[in-house]
Amino acid sequence: MKEKSTRCVHAGTIKDAATKGVNTPIYTSTAYAYLDQPQQFYPRYFNVPNQQAVIEKLCVLEGSESGLVFSSGMAAITTTLLAHLQTGDHIVFQAGVYGGTHHFAVHELGRYGIEHSFTEGTTRADFESELRPNTKIIYVETPSNPLLSIVDLDMVAALARERNIMSVIDNTFASPINQNPLALGIDVVIHSGTKYLGGHSDICCGVVLASDDVIATVRHSSLSFGGSLNAEMCHLLERSLKTLELRVRRQNENALTIALALAKHDAIARVFYPGLESHTAHDIARRQMSDYGGVLSFELKDAAPTMFLNSLRLIQPAMSLGGIETTICQPAMTSHVKLTGDERLKLGITDGLMRLSVGIEDAQELAADIEQAIHNSQNTEGDNSESQRSKTARV
Ligand SMILES: *Cc1c(COP(=O)(O)O)cnc(C)c1O
């Protein structure tokens, strides 16, 4: 089993011995007889069969020794970090990490006496200048939200190794299909399984994948923090992962098609997608990713953002991402609404910025929906036959 498509389908399955059914049965028990078996099974111990089956599949997909599946991405992130940080330690976060992670750093870590800082940018110098004698973790997210910035994982892994620091990546946007950071020397991979791994916008879960040693430390703390995932959700996640390669491959293709179409569009100021040669870190992305993922962002020039969103017919304005259905959101009004206008501009987030999570629908129909919504929301009083004509030419 070398190919990811095969691994997605077969890895980890616990065949049903009683009936020879082809799927892992759902083991709902929370109580297990203990007299005649050495291991104590219990859902919060992260060791019941459905947890083990799904984590085995994920380990095979990410190329990791070991892993744990949690009840949310944030449970995976916070448990991993708190398991490895002590009072007096310091952690460096890349600028622009996921909002929940940022909130955890700013509002929780200090209460445990743990210091943190954020980098200014994504170069080696940016990371080096934030390192302190007590730095224990470098935490990155690439591609990151919402501008799809890319961090060089070879660089991060080398820097962390030199200083004996643990490197952690939130690999949610890439999924294990497009990027395998452990092979590049990163120590710990985390996913919000709520996004691509679940893939149907109906499961909330998270995953940590790393060496046996690292996972033993996380497991020790996770027994106390208790963020385990129940059997039914593990089953849904296992089922979803069987089509992960198929879904993500289609999302990669669709996203590139739409990114190329938008990049040529005269009503769009800029397109952010690591698969475009115009992306500032396209070379790094090409080196460390096998494909570029289903998320892209673009900036409307003069179309009114709210009218644009209201004009979409197929694409749904919704938070979250990674589902088979295409969704869109306006970061200035959603993920980054709590920042001031100036803070947003400093990060490059304008009011016209749209983050698109591309699904598995037909790419031309998606592009046409964006096109008609742009047309509908542009300031086109009077004769708009010109833009009507170019509409058919463009998409
Ligand atoms: C959604 C998300 C998270 C948090 O995951 P939850 O499952 O919502 O807890 C973390 N990182 C990234 C990049 C995400 O998109």
Side-chain angles (χ1 to χ4, degrees):
M1 257 202 299
K2 280 219 288 282
E3 299 300 328
K4 284 180 179 167
S5 53
T6 312
R7 292 174 166 184
C8 280
V9 176
H10 293 289
T13 306
I14 301 174
K15 298 231 171 68
D16 179 2
T19 64
K20 307 249 188 288
V22 297
N23 294 312
T24 307
I26 304 175
Y27 296 86
T28 55
S29 296
T30 55
Y32 290 82
Y34 70 91
L35 287 179
D36 52 358
Q37 55 187 353
Q39 194 176 8
Q40 287 207 24
F41 292 102
Y42 189 58
R44 186 169 47 74
Y45 294 172
F46 294 77
N47 64 1
V48 293
N50 291 99
Q51 293 168 337
Q52 288 181 342
V54 75
I55 208 63
E56 173 61 20
K57 197 189 284 293
L58 285 158
C59 284
V60 168
L61 287 172
E62 255 325 346
S64 76
E65 272 178 7
S66 204
L68 293 167
V69 56
F70 288 86
S71 55
S72 71
M74 285 311 301
I77 292 167
T78 57
T79 305
T80 302
L81 297 186
L82 290 176
H84 283 93
L85 294 167
Q86 319 288 334
T87 300
D89 286 347
H90 171 251
I91 171 170
V92 180
F93 291 96
Q94 167 199 328
V97 287
Y98 176 71
T101 310
H102 186 274
H103 193 269
F104 170 70
V106 171
H107 295 283
E108 301 291 338
L109 285 180
R111 301 196 301 111
Y112 300 89
I114 297 164
E115 301 167 17
H116 73 274
S117 51
F118 295 97
T119 63
E120 276 286 318
T122 53
T123 65
R124 179 173 167 118
D126 287 319
F127 282 92
E128 265 182 332
S129 67
E130 295 303 333
L131 296 182
R132 302 177 189 173
N134 54 342
T135 304
K136 293 290 157 50
I137 296 179
I138 299 178
Y139 185 104
V140 300
E141 196 175 305
T142 179
S144 75
N145 189 35
L147 295 175
L148 290 302
S149 0
I150 300 291
V151 177
D152 185 338
L153 291 177
D154 277 337
M155 176 277 286
V156 170
L159 179 61
R161 290 270 148 98
E162 279 164 31
R163 311 289 176 101
N164 207 14
I165 294 171
M166 189 167 91
S167 53
V168 179
I169 182 175
D170 180 334
N171 201 29
T172 300
F173 270 43
S175 91
I177 302 303
N178 292 328
Q179 181 168 270
N180 293 127
L182 299 174
L184 301 172
I186 300 292
D187 297 314
V188 184
V189 171
I190 298 178
H191 289 276
S192 166
T194 314
K195 315 298 165 54
Y196 288 99
L197 305 185
H200 297 69
S201 307
D202 59 3
I203 314 176
C204 185
C205 61
V207 183
V208 181
L209 300 154
S211 66
D212 290 339
D213 284 354
V214 168
I215 293 300
T217 303
V218 180
R219 183 192 300 272
H220 183 77
S221 294
S222 66
L223 301 184
S224 304
F225 293 136
S228 55
L229 192 66
N230 68 39
E232 287 86 350
M233 286 298 137
C234 288
H235 158 73
L236 268 185
L237 179 59
E238 185 183 346
R239 180 187 158 130
S240 296
L241 288 171
K242 293 182 183 184
T243 56
L244 181 68
E245 194 271 350
L246 205 55
R247 288 186 276 112
V248 170
R249 181 145 47 96
R250 171 69 164 229
Q251 286 166 316
N252 291 335
E253 286 166 14
N254 279 357
L256 181 61
T257 303
I258 293 169
L260 287 169
L262 294 177
K264 281 189 295 200
H265 200 295
D266 43 9
I268 304 290
R270 289 189 296 174
V271 179
F272 302 89
Y273 185 61
L276 293 182
E277 277 171 27
S278 60
H279 189 286
T280 49
H282 174 65
D283 286 346
I284 300 172
R286 203 174 51 204
R287 212 171 57 227
Q288 66 193 21
M289 303 180 79
S290 56
D291 211 329
Y292 305 102
V295 183
L296 61 97
S297 295
F298 60 91
E299 228 173 66
L300 297 169
K301 252 185 209 159
D302 52 359
T306 307
M307 205 190 290
F308 169 77
L309 290 171
N310 278 320
S311 302
L312 291 163
R313 293 176 190 150
L314 187 59
I315 299 171
Q316 303 172 74
M319 303 277 281
S320 202
L321 59 106
I324 51 170
E325 67 286 294
T326 302
T327 55
I328 193 165
C329 71
Q330 183 187 1
M333 299 303 284
T334 54
S335 53
H336 293 72
V337 70
K338 289 202 182 118
L339 278 60
T340 66
D342 279 351
E343 285 171 329
R344 278 198 294 271
L345 281 184
K346 207 176 141 224
L347 293 172
I349 297 166
T350 59
D351 285 350
L353 184 74
M354 297 289 155
R355 186 199 70 196
L356 188 69
S357 167
V358 181
I360 63 169
E361 305 97 325
D362 180 80
Q364 300 305 329
E365 288 192 340
L366 294 171
D369 192 31
I370 295 172
E371 172 62 37
Q372 65 82 22
I374 290 174
H375 179 72
N376 217 23
S377 52
Q378 256 169 340
N379 219 350
T380 49
E381 258 133 59
D383 181 15
N384 56 15
S385 56
E386 179 53 38
S387 45
Q388 278 288 15
R389 263 200 305 281
S390 53
K391 166 180 170 178
T392 31
R394 276 195 297 262
V395 176

